[in-house]
């Protein structure tokens, strides 16, 4: 379609994409009027508190609810014999319904992990429910749980990506690294607790959930509760984040729904912070052996990445640590394997950058060790091993600027001033360590439907059955639709978080933004085409053919007119006496190769590099992350303000991953994740956050969608931990291969102030 000069100019002036808009839902959030799941209250509301197992392995010997049942306000104590039936959903190969913990709650008397729910107390108030839950007497046949953190393979490893002969090439490589890296179990700690508010009207459920995937939740709950999907409506208007822990249903969701059905009253269940360490997933412990072989001038000749992760007794959660390894560097011989080791722990799940984030801690730490062995600068080593094709798929990339991330970052960070000698750099009496690591994350699209209504009152409504995990989906949609329509985003109402809306993508895998663009563009086109037809019978366009009319900047005008001379769309609607026109768009997940179901035509990933400075004070063993520069190649950035915020948040999380976070399963205390609170499980705070400089390269990836936008929820975390570990080595001479890096690890440093 030819575009006139004036239209092109106006398009450039009207640029909502790339605008640093504040969040459209910001005022609701700061004023406390955004309704999170547990903010929903209904007449006759009851409160449910689960009873959690105090052993990690064994069985229930007796469950005595008699005292609890007689307590004030108590409506019921549900357990295996009286809660009713749940259905177990078989794993389905097309991932159309995902449930990480497949065993429904209260399914049998066997205990497989600490905190497994054994009953649920329902009462008229939350304290009464808590008191009743505490009064349920459970006795167990306890067995010794297996929460061993050293992993040994229980099965043959699964071979992932493979090319050439990695073993033979390693054997003959002149320079080698062969090391094992460990990342601990990490617990998701979004500020908002998991919660369900369940309503049952005799036929249908309405479930208010803190969930990253309302559509999957609808299908999964329908299947497990044994009601048709159309009788389950899932609502999730605001999330206080989830980090992956809220992607799939957990057992508390079913306890709440079944309680509401059994009692015919609304039931609220809020999972406690302690229970969040037990029953709603975690990033599993990983143990990864990396073998790299290289020539003397630093060309990789062999890469082997063999990883294990723990999973629960019943579920095979595969972390997939080797996800990024096959395409990050050029290497003719490669082999990636993975394996699962079953332990008496809750079922693990995806956590921000699953697979790649722990995987890159291993791979990028090994690259740093290789650079030191070769006496080659670690930035230079990565430049020498850059690849312009994805050798795993033998496909070109949609858009890859990893090299530029390295060179731009090195320049901005001042990397050329780095003295590679350990402990050689000082500033203000502190020892400096500078480290670098590469980052990558998938760039994909999921199926997405969206509807745009243009209304006669001049407003626009955009509806999509996705949800805003908290990072800006409402804002992003207002911007994308605003750009597509040439209408100010302030006039656009965005409606999300209801499974009754057109099916939208889950908020996971950094895929929402990229998935939305094609759907919104098509919806905008369909709605505005209807307007064009409508305008052919309205003044001043009567008698014009629709082909001769254009919609741009919110107005209908003739092709030979500029938009400014056209008629605002709401006037067309008003004169036609029509309240609104609607268009629905659909985008398909062309890049769903992450499930390995379709053969992609191109390889699509985001890239980045983390440059990190630490300061080390050997006199008092004090380590700080003092400076971070992150260069991100993630396509066109729709909103640099929320985008920078995403990356900064991820970097702060990465500091926690490198230095603080680990979930400790204590075999001396019944296999409990014993540091199950925010005092003992340390996450980064503002005080730990250094100056973080975020640079977006901003190359539109137009293979992914017309605006060239990718998601950026996870890429900022990738590479942080290995860059910190590299910086710590540079400062102290100590290579820490097991996260988190602790002060105890560094005491042996011989670097002196
Ligand atoms: Mo994320 S782990 O894709 O929610």
């Amino acid at each position: 379609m030819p575009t006139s000069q004036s239209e092109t100019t106006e398009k450039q002036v009207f640029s909502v994409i790339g605008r640093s808009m504040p969040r459209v839902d910001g005022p609701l959030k700061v004023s406390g009027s955004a309704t999170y799941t547990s903010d929903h209250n209904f007449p006759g509301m009851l409160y449910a508190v689960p009873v959690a197992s105090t052993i990690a392995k064994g069985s229930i010997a007796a469950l005595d609810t008699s005292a609890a049942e007689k307590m004030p306000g108590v409506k019921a104590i549900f357990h295996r014999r009286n809660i009713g039936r749940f259905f177990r959903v078989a794993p389905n190969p097309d991932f159309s319904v995902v449930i990480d913990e497949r065993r429904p709650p209260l399914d049998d008397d066997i205990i497989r992990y600490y905190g497994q729910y054994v009953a649920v107390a329902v009462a008229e108030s939350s304290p009464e429910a808590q008191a009743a839950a505490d009064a349920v007497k459970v006795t167990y046949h306890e067995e010794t749980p297996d929460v061993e953190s050293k992993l040994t393979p229980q099965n043959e490893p699964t071979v992932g990506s493979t090319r050439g002969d990695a073993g033979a090439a390693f054997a003959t490589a002149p320079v080698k690294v062969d090391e094992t890296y460990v990342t601990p179990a990490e617990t998701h700690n979004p500020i908002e607790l998991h919660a369900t508010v369940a309503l049952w009207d005799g036929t249908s459920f309405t479930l208010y959930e803190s969930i990253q995937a309302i559509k999957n939740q609808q299908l999964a709950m329908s299947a497990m509760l044994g009601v048709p999907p159309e009788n389950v409506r899932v609502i999730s208007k605001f999330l206080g984040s989830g980090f992956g822990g809220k992607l799939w249903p957990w057992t508390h969701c079913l306890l709440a729904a079944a309680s509401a059905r059994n009692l015919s009253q609304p039931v609220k269940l809020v999972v406690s912070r302690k229970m969040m360490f037990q029953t709603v997933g975690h990033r599993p412990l990983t143990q990864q052996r990396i073998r790299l072989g290289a020539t003397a001038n630093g060309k990789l000749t062999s890469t082997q990445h063999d990883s294990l992760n723990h999973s629960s007794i019943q579920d095979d959660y595969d972390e997939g640590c080797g996800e990024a390894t096959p395409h990050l560097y050029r290497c003719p011989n490669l082999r990636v394997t993975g394996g699962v080791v079953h332990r008496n722990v809750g079922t693990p799940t995806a956590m921000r950058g699953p697979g790649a984030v722990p995987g890159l801690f291993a791979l990028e730490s090994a690259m740093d060790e290789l650079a030191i062995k070769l006496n080659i600068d670690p930035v230079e080593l990565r430049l020498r091993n850059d690849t312009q094709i994805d050798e795993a798929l033998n496909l070109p990339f949609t858009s890859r600027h990893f090299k530029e991330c390295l060179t731009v970052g090195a320049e901005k960070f001042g990397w050329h001033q780095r003295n590679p000698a350990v402990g050689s750099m000082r500033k203000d009496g502190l020892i400096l360590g500078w480290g670098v690591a590469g980052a990558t994350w998938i760039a994909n699209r999921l199926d997405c439907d969206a509807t745009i209504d243009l209304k006669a009152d001049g407003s626009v409504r955009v509806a999509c059955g996705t949800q805003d995990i908290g990072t800006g989906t409402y804002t992003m949609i207002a911007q994308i639709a605003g750009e597509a329509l040439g209408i100010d985003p302030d006039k656009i109402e965005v409606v999300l978080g209801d499974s009754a809306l057109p099916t939208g993508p889950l908020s996971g895998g950094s895929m929402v933004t990229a998935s939305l663009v094609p759907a919104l563009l098509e919806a905008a086109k369909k709605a505005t085409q209807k307007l064009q037809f409508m305008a052919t019978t309205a003044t001043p366009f009567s008698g014009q053919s629709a082909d001769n009319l254009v919609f741009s900047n919110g107005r209908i005008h003739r092709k030979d007119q500029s938009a400014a001379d056209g008629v605002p769309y709401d006037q067309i609607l008003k004169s036609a006496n029509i309240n609104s026109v609607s268009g629905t768009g659909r985008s398909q997940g062309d890049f769903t190769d992450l499930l390995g179901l379709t053969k992609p035509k191109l390889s699509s990933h985001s890239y980045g590099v983390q440059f990190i400075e630490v300061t080390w004070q050997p006199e008092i063993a004090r380590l700080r992350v003092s400076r971070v520069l992150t260069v991100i190649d993630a396509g066109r950035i729709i909103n640099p303000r929320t985008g920078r915020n995403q990356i900064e948040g991820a970097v702060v999380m990465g500091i926690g991953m490198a230095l603080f976070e680990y979930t400790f399963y204590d075999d001396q205390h019944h296999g409990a994740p014993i540091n199950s609170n925010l005092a003992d499980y340390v996450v980064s705070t503002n005080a730990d956050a250094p100056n973080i400089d975020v640079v977006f390269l901003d190359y539109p990836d137009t293979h992914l969608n017309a605006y060239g936008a990718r998601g950026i929820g996870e890429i900022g975390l990738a590479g942080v931990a290995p860059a910190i570990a590299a910086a710590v080595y540079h400062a102290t001479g100590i290579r820490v291969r097991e996260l988190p890096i602790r002060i105890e690890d560094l005491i042996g440093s011989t670097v002196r102030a």
Side-chain angles (χ1 to χ4, degrees):
M1 190 173 84
T3 41
S4 73
Q5 191 58 46
S6 62
E7 194 188 322
T8 313
T9 318
E10 280 157 7
K11 265 247 143 75
Q12 284 164 356
V13 173
F14 195 88
S15 181
V16 190
I17 300 292
R19 193 189 287 179
S20 279
M21 266 179 67
R23 284 184 172 73
V24 297
D25 50 340
L28 282 178
K29 288 186 173 173
V30 295
S31 65
S33 33
T35 44
Y36 291 85
T37 294
S38 64
D39 294 330
H40 290 93
N41 293 303
F42 297 96
M45 178 101 90
L46 301 174
Y47 297 81
V49 172
V51 180
S53 158
T54 55
I55 65 165
K57 186 181 182 191
S59 60
I60 300 171
L63 189 100
D64 178 1
T65 61
S66 54
E69 276 163 9
K70 291 187 206 97
M71 289 172 68
V74 172
K75 298 291 278 194
I77 311 292
F78 293 117
H79 46 80
R80 183 163 81 79
R81 288 179 176 77
N82 66 355
I83 194 157
R85 183 156 181 208
F86 297 121
F87 297 83
R88 194 185 286 241
V89 179
N92 42 354
D94 63 351
F95 288 81
S96 58
V97 179
V98 185
I99 304 166
D100 272 347
E101 182 169 352
R102 288 189 176 275
R103 175 191 175 273
L106 319 181
D107 198 50
D108 54 31
D109 284 336
I110 298 171
I111 304 298
R112 297 173 180 86
Y113 62 89
Y114 189 96
Q116 181 184 317
Y117 298 141
V118 296
V120 58
V122 188
E124 284 162 1
S125 74
S126 175
E128 286 168 327
Q130 183 66 61
D134 292 344
V136 173
K137 283 195 213 99
V138 194
T139 47
Y140 299 96
H141 299 297
E142 186 172 11
E143 296 167 42
T144 307
D146 181 3
V147 292
E148 170 62 44
S149 60
K150 175 135 183 57
L151 302 180
T152 39
Q154 288 175 340
N155 300 297
E156 277 299 297
T158 314
V159 179
S161 194
T162 176
R163 59 185 183 253
D165 188 340
F170 182 75
T172 57
V175 184
K176 297 175 196 189
V177 168
D178 180 357
E179 298 292 351
T180 296
Y181 304 86
V182 173
T183 67
E186 289 178 75
T187 296
H188 313 70
N189 272 292
I191 193 162
E192 183 206 15
L193 301 167
H194 285 246
T196 300
V197 175
L199 281 74
W200 168 253
D201 69 4
T203 316
S204 297
F205 286 102
T206 303
L207 304 173
Y208 294 83
E209 300 271 19
S210 182
I211 201 85
Q212 293 170 237
I214 50 173
K215 197 66 198 178
N216 184 74
Q217 188 76 358
Q218 178 194 18
L219 298 175
M221 292 295 279
S222 137
M224 291 189 288
L225 291 163
V227 295
E230 57 272 24
N231 292 3
V232 178
R233 182 178 174 194
V234 175
I235 296 172
S236 193
K237 291 290 178 186
F238 295 98
L239 281 132
S241 199
F243 302 120
K246 294 177 180 170
L247 281 166
W248 322 124
W250 296 105
T251 47
H252 70 271
C253 306
L254 290 157
L255 295 183
S259 299
R261 179 163 60 184
N262 291 343
L263 297 167
S264 292
Q265 274 177 266
V267 170
K268 182 186 288 192
L269 190 159
V270 180
V271 177
S272 68
R273 185 64 65 179
K274 179 176 181 174
M275 286 177 176
M276 279 177 52
F277 284 79
Q278 300 165 353
T279 58
V280 290
H282 59 275
R283 193 201 292 283
L285 167 75
T286 79
Q287 188 177 297
Q288 307 173 55
R289 182 179 182 193
I290 301 269
R291 279 169 285 180
L292 299 177
T295 62
N297 66 352
K299 294 272 187 188
L300 285 172
T301 56
S302 175
T303 302
Q304 293 173 84
H305 189 166
D306 301 301
S307 65
L308 295 170
N309 66 263
H310 82 197
S311 185
S312 56
I313 294 298
Q314 289 207 333
D315 298 296
D316 286 313
Y317 176 80
D318 180 2
E319 176 71 9
C321 291
E323 192 269 324
T325 309
H327 65 82
L328 187 54
Y329 298 113
R330 187 175 48 190
C331 182
N333 304 290
L334 175 137
R335 189 175 138 101
V336 169
T337 71
V340 169
V341 179
H342 296 278
R343 293 285 187 252
N344 291 103
V345 298
T347 301
T349 194
M351 182 169 176
R352 204 173 197 174
V357 162
L360 284 167
F361 170 67
L363 179 66
E364 288 297 276
S365 291
M367 283 296 278
D368 196 62
E369 299 202 52
L370 181 64
I372 290 162
K373 278 202 173 169
L374 289 161
N375 199 21
I376 295 176
D377 178 87
V379 172
E380 175 59 27
L381 178 67
R382 288 169 172 92
L383 289 171
R384 284 187 201 177
N385 288 287
D386 185 50
T387 180
Q388 288 303 308
I389 64 155
D390 179 335
E391 292 179 320
L393 302 171
N394 198 21
L395 289 173
F397 295 104
T398 55
S399 171
R400 165 172 161 134
H401 301 89
F402 182 57
K403 238 178 165 159
E404 195 173 326
C405 292
L406 287 159
T407 54
V408 165
E411 174 67 31
K412 263 206 116 192
F413 194 80
W415 189 259
H416 61 280
Q417 294 163 27
R418 182 178 185 265
N419 179 342
V422 163
S424 63
M425 291 177 70
R426 312 283 158 127
K427 189 184 169 191
D428 302 334
L430 305 172
I431 294 158
L432 295 184
W434 285 9
V436 65
T440 178
W441 182 246
I442 55 175
N444 283 311
R445 274 194 343 238
L446 294 170
D447 293 353
C448 176
D449 291 350
T451 300
I452 293 181
D453 295 310
L454 297 166
K455 296 189 189 174
D457 65 5
S459 68
V460 178
R461 179 182 185 268
V462 183
C464 178
T466 186
Q467 53 285 306
D468 188 337
I469 184 172
T471 45
T473 303
Y474 282 107
T475 311
M476 223 58 56
I477 291 178
Q479 286 185 268
I480 295 165
E483 180 80 28
L485 296 163
I487 290 174
D488 197 296
D490 290 348
K491 295 208 178 100
I492 297 174
E493 179 202 8
V494 182
V495 183
L496 310 176
D498 186 336
S499 62
L501 297 170
T503 303
L506 57 92
S507 299
S510 305
M511 292 184 276
V512 171
T513 299
S515 309
L516 276 160
V517 173
L520 290 172
L521 283 173
E522 191 191 339
K525 192 171 165 198
K526 285 193 176 158
T528 57
Q529 275 174 345
K530 284 186 194 166
L531 265 173
Q532 280 162 240
F533 276 106
M534 222 170 266
T536 59
T537 59
T539 21
F541 304 116
S542 305
Q544 295 279 337
S545 85
D547 289 347
N548 198 32
L549 297 177
V550 179
F551 180 96
S552 73
N553 290 19
R555 288 161 181 260
I556 297 277
H557 58 94
R558 294 195 314 270
K559 275 186 178 163
D560 58 3
Q561 284 180 312
S562 74
D565 298 325
V567 179
Y569 74 88
D570 47 315
Q571 280 183 32
I572 306 271
L573 287 169
K574 270 182 225 136
S575 63
N577 229 339
I578 285 174
N579 283 335
S580 68
V581 281
S582 164
T584 294
R586 162 165 297 187
S587 48
Q588 282 182 340
D590 286 356
F591 288 80
T592 46
D593 56 306
L594 75 162
L595 301 183
L597 299 177
T598 52
K599 173 100 176 96
K601 294 184 187 68
L602 293 164
S603 173
S604 182
H605 304 267
S606 287
Y607 291 91
V609 177
Q610 311 280 359
F611 287 87
I612 294 187
E613 177 187 274
V614 300
T615 60
W616 169 238
Q617 284 172 275
E619 311 92 314
I620 57 169
R622 186 172 201 246
L623 180 76
R624 303 276 295 168
V625 175
S626 46
R627 188 159 69 96
V628 177
L629 169 68
T630 302
V631 186
I632 299 289
D633 169 31
R636 160 97 40 91
I637 301 303
I638 303 275
N639 183 329
R641 180 171 171 158
T642 54
R644 197 180 64 240
N645 184 235
Q646 274 271 50
I647 302 301
E648 287 170 347
V651 167
V652 173
M653 194 169 181
I655 293 170
M657 177 182 176
L659 303 182
F660 309 129
E661 292 193 43
Y662 74 106
T663 310
F664 178 55
Y665 297 92
D666 187 354
D667 61 2
Q668 302 303 303
H669 293 84
H670 313 284
I674 201 167
N675 55 338
S676 54
N677 58 75
L678 289 175
D680 295 318
Y681 185 94
V682 183
V683 298
S684 286
T685 66
N686 280 348
D688 302 299
N691 200 330
I692 301 167
D693 193 359
V694 180
V695 176
F696 289 115
L697 294 188
D698 216 21
Y699 286 106
D701 185 349
T702 49
H703 292 284
L704 209 52
N705 53 61
Y707 290 158
R710 294 185 191 142
I712 50 170
E714 285 153 298
I715 180 76
L717 178 58
V720 176
I724 291 174
V728 165
Y729 176 81
H730 183 223
T732 66
I734 294 190
R735 174 66 58 179
V736 182
R737 300 189 184 90
E738 179 168 354
L739 293 180
I741 298 166
R742 299 164 216 237
I743 293 307
E744 300 91 298
D745 295 323
L746 307 181
I747 303 275
S749 170
T750 53
V751 173
R752 290 288 165 259

